[in-house]
Amino acid sequence: MDRFALRDALDSRNMLAFLALIRAGEGTADADGYRRHFGGELFESFADHPRKAITKGRYTSTAAGAYQILQRTWDGLVRQWGFADFSPRCQDEAAVALIVGRGALDDVLAGRIEQAIAKCA
């Protein structure tokens, strides 16, 4: 699978609905979701993952963006898929790549949401 396949998957209504479901669960479904750090603060630049650890309550996390991707996860995705930045488009492709990595792509595309959630959980 290559980046073109990730982009093609984003043409699927089922994929877009699944990504919207994830964003709703992450609290990033609004217009600023692609710019949101863990805890709600917004970052400014899409040049790269913001690489900022934020502590809220008992938790510290580097999660950022629409899918709350951790810095270490993003770095692995960049190595594997070659994402050039942390733009909304690359975040969407990265989310699809993570779905692929969990073996849930066919389930998402076919609308087998319960199976896809089980594999991605």
Side-chain angles (χ1 to χ4, degrees), residues 3-5 7 9 17 22 24 31 39-40 49 52 54 56 61 74 79 83-85 88 91-92 97 103 112 116 118:
R3 290 276 304 277
F4 295 109
R7 292 177 190 139
I22 293 170
H49 188 286
K52 182 177 180 182
I54 295 178
K56 289 288 183 183
S61 180
W74 179 253
R79 279 191 299 279
F83 299 120
D85 57 36
Q91 289 182 46
D92 288 344
R112 296 186 298 265

Side-chain angles (χ1 to χ4, degrees), residues 31-86:
D32 285 328
Y34 287 98
R35 299 176 47 231
R36 185 155 292 115
H37 281 288
F38 165 74
E41 180 181 324
L42 301 179
F43 58 87
E44 295 299 319
S45 174
F46 288 118
D48 189 15
H49 188 286
R51 303 179 181 285
K52 182 177 180 182
I54 295 178
T55 301
K56 289 288 183 183
R58 300 178 325 181
Y59 301 100
T60 299
S61 180
T62 60
Y67 308 99
Q68 293 294 284
I69 299 172
L70 298 174
Q71 175 184 327
R72 71 178 179 267
T73 301
W74 179 253
D75 291 344
L77 290 166
V78 168
R79 279 191 299 279
Q80 182 175 0
W81 297 94
F83 299 120
D85 57 36
F86 201 60

